[in-house]
């Protein structure tokens, strides 16, 4: 094998386009840039996302979503969880402190009682909010629903 005899594979090397070398080359005159317009001139650079004056995609597409800054978020607590606390502690009053000490809520949570499960004990429940059916279920069991 002789290093001086090495050649690239046939068809792999193409000759470079020689622009602006006269009309006979086929690439003289405007040098393949066409007539007039920004792209025909030197120093042209296109802004990213530019679509030729058409409204760009990132401006056409609606920005979905809405965050309500006035939203009040409650920690949901069901009647079956309250029943479990009553069975565990034999408490007659269930308030935020009782729920916190049993690991159901954090101190800063706003709590809302919902009507899943069944409450058998007559207890006074003191939380921030109740669903209508949960309040009825507590009173039906002989307890009291107190809103803080």
């Amino acid at each position: 094998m002789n290093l001086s005899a090495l050649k690239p594979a046939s068809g792999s090397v193409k000759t470079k386009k020689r622009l602006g070398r006269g009309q006979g080359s086929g690439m003289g005159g405007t040098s393949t840039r066409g007539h007039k317009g920004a792209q025909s001139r030197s120093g042209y650079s296109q802004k990213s996302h530019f679509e030729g004056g058409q409204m760009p995609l990132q401006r056409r597409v609606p920005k979905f979503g809405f965050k309500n800054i006035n939203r009040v978020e409650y920690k949901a607590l069901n009647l079956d969880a309250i029943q479990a606390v009553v069975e565990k502690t034999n408490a007659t009053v269930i308030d935020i402190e009782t729920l916190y000490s049993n690991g159901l809520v954090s101190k800063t949570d706003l709590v809302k009682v919902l009507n899943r499960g069944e409450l058998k004990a007559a207890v006074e429940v003191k939380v921030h909010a109740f669903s209508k059916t949960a309040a009825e279920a507590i009173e039906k069991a002989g307890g009291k629903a107190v809103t803080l």
Side-chain angles (χ1 to χ4, degrees):
M1 178 143 179
N2 187 1
L3 289 179
S4 64
L6 288 177
K7 285 184 188 171
S10 64
S12 68
V13 177
K14 294 177 182 170
T15 53
K16 193 181 119 196
K17 250 189 202 183
R18 295 188 73 227
L19 305 176
R21 291 293 179 271
Q23 295 297 337
S25 69
M27 290 167 211
T30 59
S31 301
T32 72
R33 288 173 174 252
H35 295 280
K36 298 185 181 175
Q39 292 176 68
S40 72
R41 315 206 189 276
S42 66
Y44 167 74
S45 63
Q46 190 179 55
K47 287 193 167 87
S48 60
H49 308 297
F50 182 68
E51 296 184 23
Q54 172 175 296
M55 187 60 69
L57 183 70
Q58 78 273 16
R59 289 185 62 195
R60 283 199 304 267
V61 175
K63 312 302 185 272
F64 288 104
F66 172 75
K67 279 256 196 268
N68 185 357
I69 57 168
N70 299 317
R71 177 179 161 82
V72 179
E73 197 156 333
Y74 289 98
K75 171 85 174 169
L77 192 71
N78 288 298
L79 291 177
D80 52 7
I82 292 173
Q83 182 61 37
V85 170
V86 170
E87 288 169 4
K88 184 177 169 186
T89 61
N90 292 324
T92 55
V93 177
I94 303 289
D95 57 357
I96 303 296
E97 285 299 316
T98 313
L99 297 172
Y100 174 73
S101 60
N102 284 287
L104 292 173
V105 296
S106 68
K107 282 189 175 176
T108 56
D109 280 339
L110 296 175
V111 180
K112 182 170 184 173
V113 176
L114 305 176
N115 188 35
R116 189 188 76 194
E118 194 179 346
L119 185 66
K120 298 170 189 130
V123 288
E124 186 178 344
V125 183
K126 295 181 180 180
V127 293
H128 300 100
F130 296 89
S131 70
K132 196 189 292 184
T133 53
E136 289 169 4
I138 291 167
E139 287 162 9
K140 185 179 166 190
K144 212 167 154 189
V146 180
T147 306
L148 296 176

